[in-house]
Amino acid sequence: MINNQEILETIRMIQDQHLDVRTITMGISLLDCADSDIERSCRRVYDKICRRAQQLVRTGEDIEKEYGIPIINKRLSVTPIAMLCAVSGGNPLLYARALDEAAKTVGVNFVGGFSALVQKGFAAGDRPLIEAIPEALAETERVCSSVNVGSTRAGINMDAVALMGRIVRECAEKTADNNCFGAAKLVIFCNAVDDNPFMAGAFHGVGEGDCKLNVGVSGPGVVRAALAQAPEDCDLTAVAEIIKKTAFKITRVGQLVGAEASRRLGVPFGIVDLSLAPTPAVGDSVAHILEEIGLETCGACGTTAALALLNDAVKKGGVMASSNVGGLSGAFIPVSEDAGMIDAARSGALKIEKLEAMTAVCSVGLDMIVIPGDTQAEVISALIADEAAIGMVNSKTTAVRVIPAVGRKAGEELEFGGLFGSGPVMGINPVSPHKFIRRGGQIPAPIQSLKN
């Protein structure tokens, strides 16, 4: 039974500590929209999205008003479009336009799924879609893209890694007049999951059924506030307990919203992704949680250990609150979207090398990092390979979302606005990995039974 104290506590979390449901994301299968005629296929895509998602935004807004819980984004994820390209052939840009028009019609913020899964090689439709990504993200407003280049079972497709370094650069160049924003809508994964509700990497996995509703809930400010009230002399075991209990409360909010939206829309409830997703707002920062744990500044020695504690405690608390926890679930560290990370990067305390170490113990990976505009494609590819290797060996999801800031150098700034924030251009090791990347081929999957 929920008592008055719990209700008041939740109200404080929302009003003072930035608790929100970051997104309700409807996943829609488009497999039945495949057709040898690409224009007919695109019409089916548009029609199905509009039919399935026509009430999504209104339902989210109604729940916000009735329960007083902010739902920041309403989004869509769809079957990886490369699978439809394999049937239809033709220009993949037609699918991107259809997705964008459907997203505008139903009023969602973003639609994810202009995607390809190439961890073990390129199938029909994969290369044409990947080559179309820069133009698609430059031309459309709400379409997001992802490519999965590796997995623990398959290894890493280094031909795809080499290709994606060039694609990231082209995304930035084609949107140079819009702060290189195209690159911010592209994620390169290892071990991508089928039920991720967060952008830009969301897509609807082929094993997910025809339609599902996934929820992403966030509350870094709530966790920080709880830790701020803890005694100064409490040890790290007690810190972990505080985080677990707080994550439990946060996840219950997501479970409530997800179940209610599912009931009203008549769509099966998928998962709650309990990731701590920060924003540029003061008081809503994962970096500030780490500093509350005891670091002078995020990026100091001990940052990786503190983040490991945070990530584990969030998951332990969340799984007790819901039987449907999934997605990525943990703590995100997107530099430009986190006020504490931005400050740490500006001061020089946080560098890309430290961020890479942190990705071994948290959700996803090198996220929303602005790099110098003259960074070579091979360097970006090598960065992707490093991050994919961390994911492959550790059986976890990792990703890279970097933005080459065309015309800017390390120490300058790139401003996106809104939830995407702003970021200092971070220096990156320019020493060439050209020969390594040009070798191509496949990095074999690890022998999991010999881990030590």
Side-chain angles (χ1 to χ4, degrees), residues 161-438:
V161 168
L163 175 58
M164 292 313 300
R166 173 172 63 81
I167 295 297
V168 169
R169 275 207 58 85
E170 289 182 11
C171 285
E173 290 164 356
K174 283 188 176 292
T175 54
D177 59 348
N178 187 27
N179 291 314
C180 308
F181 190 62
K185 297 193 293 175
L186 170 63
V187 182
I188 301 97
F189 278 116
C190 177
N191 287 321
V193 297
D194 290 346
D195 54 5
N196 167 25
F198 286 101
M199 296 297 164
F203 62 85
H204 187 68
V206 293
E208 286 290 299
D210 191 63
C211 193
K212 283 283 181 73
L213 195 75
N214 300 319
V215 172
V217 65
S218 180
V222 179
V223 175
R224 186 193 182 193
L227 290 175
Q229 296 170 13
E232 283 286 334
D233 59 350
C234 75
D235 65 14
L236 293 175
T237 305
V239 167
E241 284 298 313
I242 293 168
I243 296 169
K244 280 167 54 180
K245 292 174 181 177
T246 307
F248 177 88
K249 297 170 186 176
I250 293 170
T251 307
R252 285 184 69 176
V253 173
Q255 175 75 22
L256 168 67
V257 169
E260 185 62 18
S262 173
R263 182 186 68 79
R264 296 187 186 195
L265 290 166
V267 171
F269 182 28
I271 57 92
V272 177
D273 187 318
L274 53 101
S275 296
L276 297 181
T279 72
V282 175
D284 200 26
S285 163
V286 169
H288 290 160
I289 297 174
L290 302 180
E291 291 164 7
E292 197 68 53
I293 291 173
L295 303 173
E296 180 180 357
T297 303
C298 179
C301 293
T303 297
T304 306
L307 184 59
L309 181 154
L310 171 63
N311 207 54
D312 180 65
V314 165
K315 292 182 180 182
K316 286 175 177 173
V319 296
M320 290 297 293
S322 173
S323 298
N324 301 308
V325 171
L328 300 168
S329 288
F332 290 171
I333 52 171
V335 174
S336 81
E337 298 174 14
D338 185 307
M341 295 281 180
I342 293 169
D343 289 342
R346 282 176 180 154
S347 71
L350 183 64
K351 300 182 184 300
I352 287 180
E353 291 79 6
K354 186 60 177 178
L355 282 163
E356 186 176 294
M358 293 164 67
T359 63
V361 299
C362 76
S363 292
V364 197
L366 296 171
D367 194 14
M368 286 302 289
I369 297 172
V370 185
I371 59 177
D374 60 357
T375 304
Q376 296 297 307
E378 289 83 6
V379 172
I380 299 172
S381 294
L383 195 67
I384 294 168
D386 285 342
E387 198 60 28
I390 291 172
M392 176 184 71
V393 171
N394 291 288
S395 301
K396 70 182 296 291
T397 303
T398 54
V400 171
R401 184 164 53 146
V402 294
I403 300 95
V406 176
R408 291 177 172 87
K409 299 179 180 180
E412 297 184 55
E413 297 273 331
L414 194 63
E415 177 73 38
F416 301 110
L419 288 176
F420 289 93
S422 64
V425 181
M426 300 182 71
I428 186 170
N429 190 334
V431 177
S432 177
H434 178 87
K435 185 176 180 180
F436 171 66
I437 296 301
R438 289 298 178 188

Side-chain angles (χ1 to χ4, degrees), residues 5 7-18:
Q5 183 59 38
I7 294 171
L8 291 171
E9 185 177 41
T10 302
I11 292 171
R12 283 197 300 273
M13 289 178 180
I14 293 168
Q15 290 183 342
D16 303 329
Q17 300 162 11
H18 302 281

Side-chain angles (χ1 to χ4, degrees), residues 133-178:
I133 287 173
E135 189 66 38
L137 298 186
E139 183 178 315
T140 61
E141 180 184 346
R142 308 187 190 198
V143 173
C144 293
S145 183
S146 60
V147 178
N148 192 67
V149 299
S151 73
T152 298
R153 292 184 63 86
I156 302 171
N157 180 351
M158 289 301 291
D159 294 321
V161 168
L163 175 58
M164 292 313 300
R166 173 172 63 81
I167 295 297
V168 169
R169 275 207 58 85
E170 289 182 11
C171 285
E173 290 164 356
K174 283 188 176 292
T175 54
D177 59 348
N178 187 27

